[in-house]
Amino acid sequence: MSGSRTWEIGRRFISTQEEVQNLVEGIDVRILKHWNEVCTETLVLKKGDVLYLPPRVPHCGTAATDGCSTLSVGCRAPSTSEMLSRWAEIAAQKVSGSIVERYRDDHLWDDTKTEDKTIVLTNPSVITEDAKAKAKQLILNAVVEFLDSSDKDKGLAFDEFFGKLVTEPKRVRIDYPPSLIMNIDNDNDEEDKEAHEEWISDLGVWGNPKEAVQTILNGEGCLYQAEGVVFAYSVTPSSPSKESDGEIKGMRKEQQQIHRLFVNGNMYEIVASIYDNTNDSLAVHPVCAIANERRLTKESFIPDDAALEGLMSEEVINLLEDLVAKGFLYGSEE
């Protein structure tokens, strides 16, 4: 950002174990306690330079000038352990499916019966290989059901799980992004309410979600994604359970797609028809635009091609209003 900094970069990848064992404790960033790399490469970065390093490449920066400041940006990459931990949290709340099946030793009843119908267990405390195999299979069945759910719900369960995981904030944020809707509770005193109302008033049209969305659709101003908030989207075939008659607006079920928008760990869903047989039609869908464009204008949603204006449905407008109300999008004159 300013000044210059000398970077020493290790010529190796450190293991997860080595990194964890050498981290400085009690801080919110991952910094190694000691720098003892033997094979390194030295680079001097100046104002405006960018350095990309893959995960687990050790590096050490030293300011080379006064007033030196740098900005570090981490790329999101969930680990296997993080995904498994989150799945376990979700699985613990399930009330149906393979995940709720219990281990049972039904075979013992048949294997140990005598002619007089009494039960004889010669070694009741042993954990047999068969018992361990059955327990493993229960776990595998639950995991497979979750990962390979495409036959039942077109993969929507894992799609929702992954989309929420990779967009949720990784650090605790207090009152960010700022919401246009104030949560009323006993902790909100009159001074806080007055300050919030004054802030909304100062925002003008951008302080009202309905007016803000209508303003940009009229070709005035724009909406910006809130800084630091992650947007992503997915497109999947419509689940057979979505419509009992198999059709939406006269379109066959095979021609329906579920467009999902993931924002800050939240999910929004819109079922839409495929307007033509080209992949280009997906690129102009509003959900795609909201996720991909940091700056949204009327042209982001209503293309020149009049045949595609139907994409701006009431569902999409309601989605935009909700995003503005929660602070995920904010308006500006330019």
Side-chain angles (χ1 to χ4, degrees):
M1 294 174 62
S2 63
S4 62
R5 186 178 296 268
T6 301
W7 288 96
E8 293 180 80
I9 304 167
R11 290 180 173 272
R12 69 186 182 103
F13 290 92
I14 64 175
S15 66
T16 302
Q17 181 178 2
E18 182 181 357
E19 179 188 20
V20 171
Q21 291 176 343
N22 291 281
L23 286 177
V24 176
E25 299 178 357
I27 59 177
D28 201 27
V29 292
R30 304 171 79 86
I31 297 179
L32 299 176
K33 297 177 182 177
H34 309 289
W35 178 255
N36 50 15
E37 293 297 308
V38 177
C39 297
T40 63
E41 180 177 354
T42 301
L43 296 174
V44 178
L45 269 65
K46 300 179 180 179
K47 179 180 179 180
D49 289 341
V50 176
L51 172 65
Y52 169 75
L53 294 171
R56 301 212 153 74
V57 172
H59 50 284
C60 178
T62 304
T65 61
D66 293 335
C68 173
S69 62
T70 59
L71 176 65
S72 296
V73 179
C75 298
R76 304 170 71 92
S79 65
T80 304
S81 63
E82 183 181 359
M83 288 188 283
L84 283 174
S85 297
R86 181 57 56 82
W87 173 72
E89 293 175 8
I90 297 173
Q93 302 174 17
K94 297 291 185 181
V95 295
S96 63
S98 298
I99 196 66
V100 300
E101 291 186 15
R102 289 182 176 274
Y103 176 87
R104 298 176 60 174
D105 278 328
D106 292 337
H107 66 286
L108 293 179
W109 180 262
D110 298 323
D111 295 346
T112 59
K113 280 184 180 179
T114 62
E115 291 184 0
D116 59 357
K117 297 183 179 181
T118 59
I119 301 298
V120 178
L121 296 178
T122 57
N123 194 2
S125 299
V126 66
I127 300 177
T128 66
E129 291 300 318
D130 181 64
K132 288 183 283 187
K134 287 177 63 178
K136 288 180 182 179
Q137 193 60 51
L138 283 174
I139 297 173
L140 286 173
N141 289 345
V143 173
V144 169
E145 182 177 85
F146 177 65
L147 296 179
D148 296 338
S149 57
S150 57
D151 290 341
K152 294 182 179 180
D153 66 358
K154 305 297 182 182
L156 294 179
F158 187 80
D159 179 75
E160 177 179 355
F161 162 81
F162 190 71
K164 288 182 175 180
L165 177 67
V166 297
T167 59
E168 68 180 12
K170 297 305 178 185
R171 291 180 173 85
V172 176
R173 293 167 170 170
I174 300 176
D175 296 331
Y176 187 85
S179 173
L180 298 181
I181 303 173
M182 186 176 188
N183 293 324
I184 304 299
D185 55 43
N186 294 331
D187 294 331
N188 296 134
D189 56 27
E190 289 301 322
E191 186 175 341
D192 290 336
K193 294 177 182 178
E194 290 178 3
H196 183 81
E197 292 173 357
E198 183 178 352
W199 173 61
I200 294 296
S201 178
D202 291 341
L203 290 175
V205 66
W206 307 117
N208 183 303
K210 289 185 178 295
E211 293 181 8
V213 172
Q214 193 56 53
T215 297
I216 69 157
L217 294 182
N218 290 338
E220 304 173 15
C222 55
L223 294 174
Y224 286 94
Q225 293 181 357
E227 289 74 10
V229 173
V230 179
F231 286 68
Y233 82 101
S234 68
V235 181
T236 60
S238 177
S239 169
S241 62
K242 290 291 178 180
E243 291 290 327
S244 59
D245 60 1
E247 295 186 2
I248 301 177
K249 297 181 180 178
M251 302 292 287
R252 295 194 311 275
K253 183 168 298 301
E254 292 76 17
Q255 293 176 289
Q256 305 308 309
Q257 290 180 325
I258 296 178
H259 295 251
R260 282 176 162 176
L261 177 70
F262 300 95
V263 185
N264 216 45
N266 299 280
M267 183 186 78
Y268 301 86
E269 184 177 286
I270 293 178
V271 179
S273 300
I274 300 176
Y275 287 84
D276 56 43
N277 294 324
T278 67
N279 291 330
D280 292 340
S281 65
L282 301 181
V284 297
H285 193 279
V287 168
C288 172
I290 295 170
N292 283 334
E293 299 184 26
R294 302 291 298 180
R295 179 178 182 273
L296 300 167
T297 63
K298 175 184 177 181
E299 288 70 26
S300 303
F301 304 107
I302 305 178
D304 293 335
D305 190 340
L308 295 178
E309 289 192 9
L311 285 170
M312 206 58 199
S313 64
E314 183 177 352
E315 277 186 301
V316 175
I317 293 176
N318 291 337
L319 167 59
L320 285 169
E321 292 174 356
D322 190 67
L323 294 174
V324 172
K326 293 178 178 176
F328 298 142
L329 294 176
Y330 65 88
S332 175
E333 297 293 339
E334 52 183 52

